[in-house]
Amino acid sequence: MHRRLACLLAICSTYAHAQTGASAPPQQVVISGAQTDIEAGQDFVAGKIIIGQKKIADSGLQNTGELLRREPAISVDKSGRIGLLGLPGYTQVLVDGQAQTGDYMNIDLMRVERIEIAKTTTAATGPFGIAGPINIVLRKAQRKASSKLNGNVRTEGGRKGMDLTWSGTGVSDGFSHTFMLSRWRRLSTTHSEYVQTSERPGAGLVRGYEGEIHAPGLYESLIASSVLAWTLDANHTLTFSPEIARANSDNDSQEQRRWLSGPTSLANQTGTSPTNNLHLPLLWNWKIDPDSSLAVKLVASGSRSDSRQRRDEVWSPGGPRQRVNDQDRSTRNYFLDLDYVIETEDGHRVSAGAKFARNESVAAIPTWSTAVQTPAWPCWGPIRHLA
């Protein structure tokens, strides 16, 4: 009897305990985490740290060396070499998967698609890549072209002007170009009145003659320029920037003078002064090694100006007279600049160079011709313009 009672109590106790455990709610454990700012700008794919286009664009840096030096996974030794795991000598840097012997630290970030950093080695990296390779993936060749046209018309102080500018750019594999054509034109008109006097002993300031002049003018220019750039390889770039320009100034003025002694003169003066300029600079940049570079610049330029002035006068008394002034001037310039730069291990920059120049200038002697001999007039003092 006692045994049956004990077994019944044990079964009831076990059943009650099971009922209590089943009715209790289960406990929940929530684990949360977040990326750091550095990790947020990186992608991790198959054990690689990938620096993508977003981080490259947000960095605001210019070349691969500046970007890699800021990467926490990369260390830099005293000589400027980069490496993983603190092993610059055992980190292999690749460009598009190929080992590089040139300067991979100065690749423009505009040419970079992404940078892959692997902290594990593979058999393909060899003994000098046991710390892991860094692969710089360049953008595929893309042909891009754009053009822009700007125009303005303005009036300022009675002077009317307009300018028109067209520019076009294009980028392809290893070559970029920019062309620009600019046209500028301005009309102006001036009108002034003046009095010319002279200082005479015993008479003081003597008024000689008075006059007025009306002078409309036209100023215009046309400029064509371009920049052609070739990236020959990682160490050599070539830039050619030709420019040709033409400027011209035309004037047609009327002037009237009245002497207190009676004579008068009426003059009409026309003139034109065209100037042509040609500028041909060629620049070659050579990255000799990571610490030194050489820049060679050759410039050939020239200009030519032709000035012609004609003045027709009618004197009373005296009749008509004519004066003509022709002047031609031309120049040629040649320059050669050599600039060698080396950066030392302690961060100093040493530059040495040489410059050579040659200049040629030819000017025609101005010629004056007068149809009728001008009578001598007394020498007067400076002209005073009336308010």
Side-chain angles (χ1 to χ4, degrees):
M1 182 66 182
H2 292 288
R3 288 182 178 179
R4 290 180 179 178
L5 183 59
C7 290
L8 182 59
L9 292 173
I11 292 172
C12 291
S13 177
T14 303
Y15 177 77
H17 179 72
Q19 289 291 332
T20 303
S23 62
Q27 295 183 352
Q28 295 182 354
V29 179
V30 179
I31 301 175
S32 61
Q35 287 182 316
T36 63
D37 294 338
I38 296 176
E39 292 172 338
Q42 301 170 336
D43 295 323
F44 293 85
V45 179
K48 294 181 180 179
I49 300 175
I50 299 180
I51 304 176
Q53 278 292 306
K54 185 178 185 304
K55 185 173 182 179
I56 293 176
D58 293 343
S59 68
L61 303 176
Q62 300 294 324
N63 55 51
T64 51
E66 295 176 353
L67 183 63
L68 292 174
R69 288 188 179 96
R70 295 193 179 187
E71 180 60 35
I74 297 175
S75 59
V76 184
D77 64 6
K78 294 182 179 180
S79 63
R81 295 183 303 172
I82 62 173
L84 297 170
L85 304 178
L87 300 172
Y90 296 93
T91 300
Q92 191 171 34
V93 180
L94 311 174
V95 176
D96 287 335
Q98 303 295 322
Q100 292 294 304
T101 58
D103 183 15
Y104 53 81
M105 296 290 284
N106 285 292
I107 299 176
D108 194 331
L109 289 178
M110 294 294 294
R111 300 176 54 205
V112 177
E113 179 69 26
R114 67 182 182 276
I115 298 177
E116 302 172 348
I117 303 173
K119 294 186 178 181
T120 58
T121 184
T122 62
T125 59
F128 296 103
I130 61 175
I134 300 173
N135 185 27
I136 302 172
V137 181
L138 301 180
R139 291 186 177 183
K140 303 303 179 184
Q142 297 181 356
R143 295 184 177 272
K144 297 181 180 180
S146 63
S147 59
K148 183 169 60 175
L149 181 65
N150 293 326
N152 294 293
V153 178
R154 60 182 179 272
T155 300
E156 180 182 355
R159 297 187 298 269
K160 299 180 181 180
M162 60 83 65
D163 60 82
L164 187 66
T165 302
W166 172 85
S167 63
T169 61
V171 179
S172 60
D173 187 15
F175 174 71
S176 65
H177 66 271
T178 301
F179 297 105
M180 187 182 74
L181 184 64
S182 178
R183 179 80 164 88
W184 183 78
R185 180 183 176 94
R186 189 183 74 178
L187 297 172
S188 67
T189 301
T190 60
H191 182 83
S192 63
E193 298 178 356
Y194 59 89
V195 174
Q196 188 160 5
T197 59
S198 65
E199 188 77 23
R200 292 189 176 183
L205 195 63
V206 179
R207 191 168 186 169
Y209 63 87
E210 60 183 15
E212 57 181 317
I213 183 170
H214 179 73
L218 170 64
Y219 306 92
E220 55 186 351
S221 67
L222 178 64
I223 302 175
S225 63
S226 65
V227 178
L228 311 175
W230 293 268
T231 302
L232 306 180
D233 53 39
N235 299 321
H236 299 271
T237 59
L238 194 65
T239 305
F240 180 50
S241 308
E243 178 179 296
I244 184 171
R246 177 179 175 85
N248 187 46
S249 173
D250 292 334
N251 63 79
D252 185 2
S253 63
Q254 294 81 38
E255 182 180 13
Q256 185 176 7
R257 294 180 181 180
R258 297 176 295 274
W259 275 263
L260 297 181
S261 57
T264 61
S265 70
L266 181 64
N268 181 68
Q269 181 170 311
T270 59
T272 180
S273 301
T275 302
N276 300 312
N277 295 288
L278 180 63
H279 190 63
L280 302 173
L282 180 64
L283 175 63
W284 171 47
N285 285 307
W286 176 25
K287 190 68 177 180
I288 302 173
D289 54 49
D291 299 323
S292 61
S293 62
L294 176 65
V296 180
K297 186 175 184 180
L298 177 64
V299 180
S301 63
S303 67
R304 180 181 177 86
S305 62
D306 302 322
S307 176
R308 179 176 176 85
Q309 302 289 335
R310 174 173 173 170
R311 183 179 178 92
D312 295 299
E313 302 175 348
V314 177
W315 290 75
S316 177
R321 299 164 188 162
Q322 184 184 89
R323 301 179 183 181
V324 178
N325 180 9
D326 293 336
Q327 184 175 0
D328 298 335
R329 181 181 296 273
S330 62
T331 60
R332 295 180 181 179
N333 304 303
Y334 304 93
F335 302 95
L336 176 61
D337 292 352
L338 305 175
D339 190 15
Y340 177 76
V341 178
I342 185 171
E343 296 183 1
T344 61
E345 294 184 358
D346 53 1
H348 290 85
R349 183 184 177 93
V350 181
S351 176
K355 294 185 179 182
F356 305 90
R358 180 182 178 183
N359 308 99
E360 300 176 359
S361 179
V362 178
I365 300 176
T367 57
W368 287 81
S369 62
T370 303
V372 180
Q373 183 67 31
T374 303
W377 293 93
C379 296
W380 299 94
I383 294 176
R384 179 171 59 90
H385 289 272
L386 302 178

